Amino acid sequence: STPKEYNLIMPLLISIVLYWGTYALVKNNKLGKVNVVKFNGFWNTILFLTLLIPSFGFGVYMLIRIANPSLMGGNFNFLYWHVELSIVMGVLGISHLIQRLGIYLRQLSLKK
């Protein structure tokens, strides 16, 4: 099948708005019992799932399909979703690092 044109802007904007929007709501106590610890736990889970399924899982499956062409059937475009959801994972990972930069630098003893 012909590859679809990739989107950069939509996954980028949606990821940024969802991450930083929920972070602002949490920091301003607008989400009830959801605190920064629960916020980080939620986004750690999303990061893990986007690493496990589209980035790693789809990538490995596409490699297996090269060795086993009988798996090539179907209309699901693994490469397209591998790319799109990896953009989401990258944006969320960078956002998570920025949000926790002080903790990260202290762990490396680069910041007192």
Side-chain angles (χ1 to χ4, degrees):
S1 69
T2 305
K4 296 179 183 177
E5 188 173 316
Y6 295 109
N7 291 310
L8 174 64
I9 301 301
M10 287 308 289
L12 186 77
L13 289 177
I14 290 170
S15 301
I16 289 170
V17 168
L18 285 176
Y19 187 90
W20 291 106
T22 55
Y23 181 70
L25 292 172
V26 166
K27 289 301 278 184
N28 291 309
N29 297 315
K30 301 289 185 191
L31 292 180
K33 295 181 180 182
V34 179
N35 58 23
V36 173
V37 172
K38 289 181 181 178
F39 169 87
N40 284 331
F42 172 78
W43 288 108
N44 282 340
T45 302
I46 299 299
L47 280 167
F48 176 71
L49 291 174
T50 57
L51 170 67
L52 185 66
I53 298 167
S55 292
F56 179 73
F58 289 1
V60 168
Y61 180 72
M62 288 184 292
L63 285 172
I64 292 170
R65 282 181 12 173
I66 291 169
N68 190 351
S70 65
L71 296 173
M72 290 291 186
N75 291 330
F76 189 77
N77 191 335
F78 284 93
L79 181 59
Y80 176 82
W81 289 107
H82 170 76
V83 170
E84 293 294 308
L85 294 173
S86 294
I87 292 169
V88 171
M89 186 189 82
V91 170
L92 295 178
I94 291 167
S95 295
H96 204 56
L97 175 65
I98 291 168
Q99 183 247 326
R100 300 173 60 116
L101 192 57
I103 295 167
Y104 177 70
L105 293 175
R106 281 193 298 278
Q107 289 172 335
L108 296 175
S109 298
L110 298 175
K111 183 178 177 184
K112 302 276 182 215

